[in-house]
Amino acid sequence: MNRDTDMATTGGRHAFLAKYKAGALVADDGSVKLHAFSVQLFNNGGCKFDLTGPVLDRALFHVDNCYMWPNFRAVGTPCRTSQPPHTAFRGFGGPQGMAVTEHVMDHLAQACNVSGDQLRRTNMYTLQDCTPFGMRFGGKFTGKWNVPSMFDCLYSDLDIPGRRAAASEFNKKNKWSKRGIAFTPTKFGIAFTAKFMNQGGALVHLYTDGTVLVSHGGTEMGQGLHTKVCQVAAQAFGIPLDDVYVNDSSTDKVANTIPSAASMSTDLYGMATLDACQKILKRIKVIRESLPADAPLKDVAKKAFFDRIDLTAHGFFAVDDDRCGFDWAMEKPEDFDDTQPENSWKGHPFNYFTQGVAFAEVEIDVLTGNHKTIRADVLVDVGSSINPAIDIGQIEGAYIQGVGWCTTEEVVYADSDHTWIRPRARVFTTGPGTYKIPAFNDVPETFNVSLLEDASNPFAVHSSKAVGEPPFFLGTSVFYAIKDAVKAARTSDDYFEFRMPATSERIRMACGDYISEECIAAGKASSFQPKGSY
């Protein structure tokens, strides 16, 4: 199959449309507190349902992002269209839900005449709060809630007010180049929303030469899963990493496997591997105690073999029943304790949250709509990282992938806005000539990624946290920085709707100068939306 046919028939990420009402209370001292948020999410599922339902579920679970809304209502509607069926992609609906919230925060900040940074920081969840779906923050519920302190740390270290002042000064001196800044937080729930999927197995063999072979149910796709699983086994047995080998994933070794998704693979298979190692260690404990304390593992294994001790173990791990699963349809029990959070009777959808914040500074060319990312700083809480190098690589990759999603990767279909493409619903952007993924020039000129220090997580293997999907949304900091730069270029201070992705055409036409206004019908400049750069 050639690339054009592949892209024309394979469904991509779900597009979302949100309709919302939001309100905030402005105090006499100028402080602003969020008051109410009502949102309807519509996701384009294409012609088949596929994973549209679960993707919409996760969007609803994340549409609050990191903010406390005292009054909250969210409704999701999957939409059947004539397009190819849309399916799972990194983030699985979470980024779309959080993007809606960040749009709303920008809108409220302008309406209340406060800075977006101030509005975000003063309305973040605290340890006394709970999510709309009933999860409390902190302690035994979700572990440490670090987003506010991470926000403060990066805000102070980077001198965000000073950078905003410098960008404003640059904008005053340059008519056709504008700079913008954005500061974006995220929390991403870790667990499969389908409860039965939160399980995993592993098979571990200890050989008489002191080496270990691990088979597990996960799929290595470049994310470093095999390496982390080997590290777990090496640490358990106290041997060098070079003495641990991993077998290809196969159902003749570990049966009834779960898809490697939801950023859960290390959590599941790391814990399953640790369980298997601990079983073997328990069996050979007597042998180890009978030998000198410095006896190498191969001597222990050899003696255990001759004493007919089984050196193979199957490990299994399942997330606790009360830490995963959410029944949307469950009615409130008559005997429910009303001191507990609303909707908590329906379940506990996530084991914990991976958290992060990102800063981005961009410069746009008002005449062409092109942009460049001058700087990006990312701080992510991944607990006590099993392998910091792998985790930083995952964060870098997820961030740039997120940048592509919200800036260059525009998908164009045959529809009422693109009547020159036929038949209806045919994908036009089916190759590198029309579909633009991030290139070298799209990487920030200065790109700093840090892991939160002294972090822990009691709910995953060795206090680590999942890292695959959570940083993806942080890439939207580039989008919101572009939006900030476009705002600086506009002659009007009115709120404007700036849709994803921020293509060159959208940036150029949103700048609202006299050149772009000549291309737009009279009176339509504030609501005009480009329909594809082709």
Side-chain angles (χ1 to χ4, degrees):
M1 180 185 295
N2 62 40
R3 177 60 62 199
D4 286 0
T5 304
D6 183 17
M7 292 188 69
T9 56
T10 302
R13 178 187 291 275
H14 290 73
F16 272 66
L17 170 69
K19 297 183 178 181
Y20 63 88
K21 294 180 180 179
L25 302 176
V26 182
D28 293 337
D29 61 359
S31 62
V32 181
K33 298 297 289 184
L34 300 177
H35 180 64
F37 184 32
S38 176
V39 61
Q40 290 179 285
L41 298 180
F42 301 88
N43 73 334
N44 183 345
C47 61
K48 299 293 182 183
F49 195 67
D50 196 66
L51 289 169
T52 297
V55 167
L56 183 57
D57 287 352
R58 189 165 281 266
L60 290 168
F61 281 131
H62 287 80
V63 75
D64 59 324
N65 199 4
C66 298
Y67 313 114
M68 175 61 191
W69 299 89
N71 303 283
F72 182 93
R73 181 177 183 268
V75 178
T77 303
C79 302
R80 184 178 183 180
T81 66
S82 54
Q83 294 176 4
H86 297 292
T87 188
F89 184 71
R90 197 174 198 165
F92 204 76
Q96 293 98 313
M98 290 184 281
V100 171
T101 314
E102 293 305 314
H103 276 279
V104 173
M105 296 299 282
D106 279 350
H107 199 167
L108 279 173
Q110 183 160 343
C112 297
N113 195 30
V114 295
S115 75
D117 295 342
Q118 177 186 340
L119 183 66
R120 287 172 170 84
R121 179 61 185 89
T122 56
N123 287 279
M124 286 181 176
Y125 283 118
T126 66
L127 294 181
Q128 291 75 39
D129 298 326
C130 63
T131 66
F133 44 88
M135 281 183 63
R136 290 188 186 276
F137 285 90
K140 64 180 181 180
F141 304 105
T142 60
K144 293 182 180 178
W145 175 235
N146 292 316
V147 169
S149 60
M150 294 165 70
F151 191 98
D152 293 343
C153 177
L154 210 57
Y155 196 86
S156 173
D157 289 351
L158 296 178
D159 184 21
I160 301 302
R163 291 183 181 277
R164 287 197 180 277
S168 178
E169 187 65 24
F170 176 89
N171 293 338
K172 290 177 183 178
K173 296 178 179 179
N174 294 273
K175 182 176 182 179
W176 302 115
S177 294
K178 300 294 179 181
R179 289 185 177 179
I181 287 174
F183 207 63
T184 307
T186 187
K187 65 169 177 55
F188 192 90
I190 304 301
F192 285 99
T193 51
K195 188 171 185 175
F196 77 93
M197 299 179 74
N198 292 285
Q199 60 176 306
L203 182 67
V204 176
H205 303 299
L206 172 59
Y207 293 90
T208 56
D209 63 354
T211 60
V212 172
L213 177 64
V214 180
S215 300
H216 60 82
T219 300
E220 173 62 58
M221 57 189 91
Q223 81 277 40
L225 174 60
H226 282 348
T227 301
K228 287 186 175 182
V229 167
C230 287
Q231 286 182 259
V232 170
Q235 182 170 338
F237 286 109
I239 58 177
L241 184 60
D242 290 345
D243 287 348
V244 182
Y245 301 85
V246 64
N247 212 345
D248 291 338
S249 300
S250 175
T251 53
D252 66 351
K253 307 294 190 304
V254 179
N256 306 315
T257 56
I258 296 299
S260 295
S263 304
M264 279 289 289
S265 295
T266 299
D267 287 14
L268 294 178
Y269 305 115
M271 286 294 283
T273 299
L274 182 60
D275 179 50
C277 293
Q278 288 173 340
K279 289 178 179 178
I280 296 174
L281 287 167
K282 184 177 181 180
R283 295 174 195 161
I284 65 174
K285 181 179 179 181
V286 176
I287 304 297
R288 186 184 289 274
E289 291 174 347
S290 68
L291 296 173
D294 59 350
L297 182 62
K298 65 179 181 179
D299 291 350
V300 179
K302 188 175 295 183
K303 189 172 190 309
F305 172 74
F306 282 107
D307 283 358
R308 299 181 299 173
I309 294 176
D310 184 10
L311 299 179
T312 292
H314 171 256
F316 181 77
F317 174 74
V319 178
D320 291 346
D321 281 347
D322 59 355
R323 299 199 63 81
C324 62
F326 191 85
D327 186 349
W328 293 88
M330 180 178 287
E331 297 291 336
K332 182 178 179 179
E334 293 182 1
D335 59 348
F336 181 76
D337 182 358
D338 287 329
T339 62
Q340 298 299 310
E342 187 74 10
N343 289 319
S344 61
W345 65 81
K346 296 183 179 182
H348 194 279
F350 303 118
N351 193 20
Y352 60 87
F353 293 111
T354 295
Q355 307 155 40
V357 292
F359 160 85
E361 182 175 3
V362 305
E363 182 177 318
I364 65 170
D365 185 326
V366 175
L367 292 176
T368 65
N370 291 337
H371 78 276
K372 64 178 180 180
T373 305
I374 299 171
R375 177 173 180 144
D377 292 81
V378 183
L379 176 61
V380 182
D381 168 18
V382 293
S384 179
S385 176
I386 294 175
N387 189 312
I390 287 177
D391 288 349
I392 289 174
Q394 283 287 294
I395 293 166
E396 291 172 341
Y399 185 89
I400 297 302
Q401 199 171 32
V403 169
W405 169 59
C406 66
T407 59
T408 62
E409 297 180 43
E410 182 178 33
V411 182
V412 176
Y413 293 91
D415 55 26
S416 299
D417 290 331
H418 305 89
T419 56
W420 45 270
I421 310 172
R422 282 294 179 262
R424 190 175 182 85
R426 183 173 75 85
V427 186
F428 175 69
T429 46
T430 58
T434 51
Y435 186 80
K436 304 298 183 180
I437 64 173
F440 296 113
N441 286 344
D442 297 301
V443 176
E445 294 176 359
T446 301
F447 192 15
N448 301 312
V449 175
S450 303
L451 305 182
L452 182 66
E453 297 180 353
D454 300 321
S456 62
N457 176 34
F459 309 115
V461 60
H462 293 326
S463 257
S464 64
K465 281 190 175 183
V467 72
E469 292 171 295
F472 179 92
F473 178 71
L474 295 176
T476 63
S477 59
V478 171
F479 171 85
Y480 293 108
I482 291 173
K483 185 179 180 181
D484 188 51
V486 169
K487 182 180 178 181
R490 291 173 65 86
T491 56
S492 170
D493 290 332
D494 295 339
Y495 176 77
F496 66 102
E497 184 180 330
F498 192 56
R499 297 180 183 176
M500 291 183 178
T503 60
S504 295
E505 181 192 22
R506 280 206 174 99
I507 295 171
R508 177 65 191 91
M509 298 306 290
C511 285
D513 61 337
Y514 70 92
I515 300 175
S516 63
E517 288 178 356
E518 288 186 2
C519 304
I520 303 171
K524 299 289 186 179
S526 62
S527 60
F528 176 78
Q529 293 293 333
K531 298 174 181 178
S533 313
Y534 305 101

